Amino acid sequence: MSFKVENLEAKNMVKLIIEASAEEFEKGVQAAYLKNRNKMAVPGFRKGKVPRQVIEKMYGTEVFFEDAVNAIIPDAYAKAAEESGLDIVSQPSIDVVQLEKGKPFIFSAEVAIKPEVTLGDYKGIEVEKADLEVSEEEINAEIDKARKQNSRKIAVEDRAIVDGDEAIIDFEGFVDGVAFEGGKGENYSLKIGSHSFIDTFEEQLIGKNIGDEVEVNVTFPEDYHAADLAGKPALFKVAVKEIKAEELPELDDDFASEVSEFDTLAEYKEDVKKTVAERKEKAAKTDKENAVVEKVVANAKMDIPEAMVETQVRQMADEFAQRIQSQGLSIEQYFQFTGLTPDKLLEEMKPQAVKRIESRLVLEAVVKAENIEASDEDVEKELENMASMYQMEIEKIKEFMGPNEIEAMKKDLAVQKAVDFLVESAVEK
């Protein structure tokens, strides 16, 4: 395997031209034949015993090419990427250049490389001083959350639906007079005001009573995930079966003793104040870090290749899908419930992806400029934190950590040290 590197017109984009020799390609084709020969049925031959030449004569000499190149490309690209010494920050865009029997197999891989960062002012950044005072409104808001968490649902029979109620409904949706798939539900619990249903569906139930049969008219979003429904008006026939309201507990000493370790409301309030103060202090620290980093990023210059952004967006989308699955939903169900599409989700994630990339690149530049390093002691402390978090022995954690993982950890720790350095040098006004 050999390769060469070409710089492309787009800044921080390069093309690797990778060549596998004719002998390497032939080995790949032979491996593909051995892998697939049991699937080939040729009259006069037992399955798995058909000579390669016979199969190629029947199906063409290219019959095994696709499997061969699919086997060759990943290893050849990985080897070329490593030997090139390039700091590649995107998935490769692969294109076959030459694919002929008896000749070298040649393909290209377009990739983005990490852009250079020119730092502007990054020391002594001015930020606003945070207000850490805890107001009575903040204390009451925190207590109200506890009251809602300890509320109970009560059946309502003497009034109509109001905003905030939970309505138990049967419904069926129609487009052009025809019921559509997925548009029917029975005994469905709908929180009015949650905006979990499309358009003004929930608002149209306000003022309705138990036993009412309602026709709800809505319009599906233009970018709705189901193309046959996108942008179309729909009619839902809805039957209101139950109405439930939220009843909050009385704010007294009994409530305080039930939700806390304190006997009186006054003691509970004082503890809530302390909790809110700690949270505000932690939030202020995070806000200060973000504000400082944002200003340092704004002062810096860099050219981020689009392929790098696309790779980051895809990574974020995968992480998002995993979070959704951990909550018991598939990403397909999420799209159905929200009306989002995969393309729209990726587009919405793009600004955050750019922000992540810019912040990381700038912080790495600060690490380099200030010769910041993570020590072995820093790594050991981080491993201890991980062991505590996952409730595992630290030696077990170390067993899972190879040299590459340790090196990545060191880089992350150095970046966090860069954040600390920037914050310590910042000026509050």
Side-chain angles (χ1 to χ4, degrees), residues 253-272 274-275:
D253 289 346
D254 288 339
F255 169 72
S257 63
E258 286 177 8
V259 299
S260 73
E261 60 188 46
F262 303 101
D263 295 326
T264 67
L265 183 60
E267 290 174 306
Y268 172 54
K269 277 190 172 183
E270 193 60 35
D271 185 66
V272 168
K274 180 181 175 183
T275 301

Side-chain angles (χ1 to χ4, degrees), residues 97-277:
V97 178
Q98 179 172 284
L99 181 60
E100 295 181 43
K101 185 176 182 179
K103 292 185 178 182
F105 166 55
I106 304 173
F107 68 97
S108 66
E110 287 191 15
V111 293
I113 57 174
K114 183 182 287 187
E116 290 290 328
V117 175
T118 303
L119 289 171
D121 293 335
Y122 64 92
K123 297 178 186 178
I125 297 295
E126 290 189 352
V127 290
E128 289 188 16
K129 189 172 183 178
D131 178 10
L132 299 179
E133 289 294 320
V134 178
S135 68
E136 195 69 24
E137 290 77 11
E138 289 172 314
I139 296 172
N140 291 336
E142 193 69 17
I143 292 174
D144 284 344
K145 286 181 186 177
R147 293 179 72 196
K148 286 185 178 181
Q149 288 168 357
N150 290 272
S151 65
R152 64 190 184 100
K153 296 289 183 183
I154 59 169
V156 175
E157 297 179 349
D158 58 351
R159 65 166 173 78
I161 295 172
V162 298
D163 192 22
D165 280 347
E166 181 182 326
I168 310 301
I169 60 173
D170 292 344
F171 63 88
E172 186 170 15
F174 300 84
V175 170
D176 297 328
V178 179
F180 58 86
E181 186 178 353
K184 186 175 183 179
E186 294 182 353
N187 295 317
Y188 188 91
S189 176
L190 178 62
K191 175 81 170 181
I192 306 300
S194 66
H195 304 293
S196 55
F197 272 31
I198 61 168
D199 204 11
T200 58
F201 188 105
E202 295 165 30
E203 289 90 331
Q204 293 180 57
L205 295 183
I206 293 175
K208 308 306 178 185
N209 292 281
I210 294 173
D212 284 354
E213 294 188 354
V214 188
E215 290 190 351
V216 174
N217 291 283
V218 294
T219 301
F220 283 98
E222 291 291 342
D223 56 357
Y224 194 65
H225 69 278
D228 57 331
L229 299 177
K232 291 187 176 180
L235 180 144
F236 281 85
K237 293 182 179 179
V238 182
V240 180
K241 303 180 74 174
E242 296 178 55
I243 303 171
K244 295 182 179 181
E246 187 177 54
E247 183 177 69
L248 300 178
E250 291 294 324
L251 189 57
D252 53 22
D253 289 346
D254 288 339
F255 169 72
S257 63
E258 286 177 8
V259 299
S260 73
E261 60 188 46
F262 303 101
D263 295 326
T264 67
L265 183 60
E267 290 174 306
Y268 172 54
K269 277 190 172 183
E270 193 60 35
D271 185 66
V272 168
K273 182 178 180 179
K274 180 181 175 183
T275 301
V276 173

Side-chain angles (χ1 to χ4, degrees), residues 9-47:
E9 285 187 17
K11 198 158 187 181
N12 298 310
M13 292 293 296
V14 301
K15 180 187 288 187
L16 295 170
I17 310 296
I18 304 167
E19 180 177 316
S21 68
E23 291 77 15
E24 290 171 319
F25 179 53
E26 170 56 27
K27 285 181 183 178
V29 174
Q30 179 65 11
Y33 157 68
L34 295 174
K35 175 185 173 184
N36 290 287
R37 62 182 175 178
N38 287 333
K39 305 172 187 175
M40 302 290 189
V42 176
F45 293 92
R46 282 185 299 156
K47 225 170 194 182

Side-chain angles (χ1 to χ4, degrees), residues 43-58:
F45 293 92
R46 282 185 299 156
K47 225 170 194 182
K49 299 297 182 181
V50 187
R52 176 179 153 189
Q53 293 84 349
V54 173
I55 296 174
E56 290 178 338
K57 188 171 182 180
M58 287 190 66

